Amino acid sequence: MSRRRGVKPVDPRIVLRAFDATAEPAGAKDVTPHTLRHSAATAILDDGIRPQAVSELLGHAGTPVTAQVYAHLTTGQCAAQWTGSA
């Protein structure tokens, strides 16, 4: 997960096991860590956070990647930011 120097990556299987152990009792069906990542990104874009900042947060190669994935899902102020009319 982390690629910083001197930081050992977390085994994704450990994260998934911990997630599954808490999601199921909470009644979250068909939810994965990726689903939460996608939902969080969409929500913060809808809240008006700059697409460039969201792109960096998600670790995308650039804002165009973020735009391609999320632009069709957002409304309001975020949509205006994508088109440059904000």
Side-chain angles (χ1 to χ4, degrees):
M1 306 257 183
S2 176
R3 302 234 191 293
R4 292 181 296 177
R5 183 184 296 196
V7 177
K8 184 177 178 183
V10 175
D11 185 330
R13 293 172 295 187
I14 293 172
V15 174
L16 190 55
R17 274 195 294 265
F19 183 85
D20 289 344
T22 55
E24 188 175 326
K29 296 181 181 186
D30 299 323
V31 177
T32 67
H34 187 79
T35 305
L36 294 181
R37 171 187 163 94
H38 195 67
S39 296
T42 301
I44 60 178
L45 285 166
D46 275 340
D47 281 346
I49 303 300
R50 294 180 311 105
Q52 296 86 353
V54 177
S55 181
E56 289 176 21
L57 176 69
L58 296 173
H60 288 163
T63 304
V65 174
T66 309
Q68 182 178 10
V69 174
Y70 295 100
H72 68 286
L73 299 174
T74 59
T75 59
Q77 183 180 357
C78 181
Q81 287 184 25
W82 291 124
T83 61
S85 61

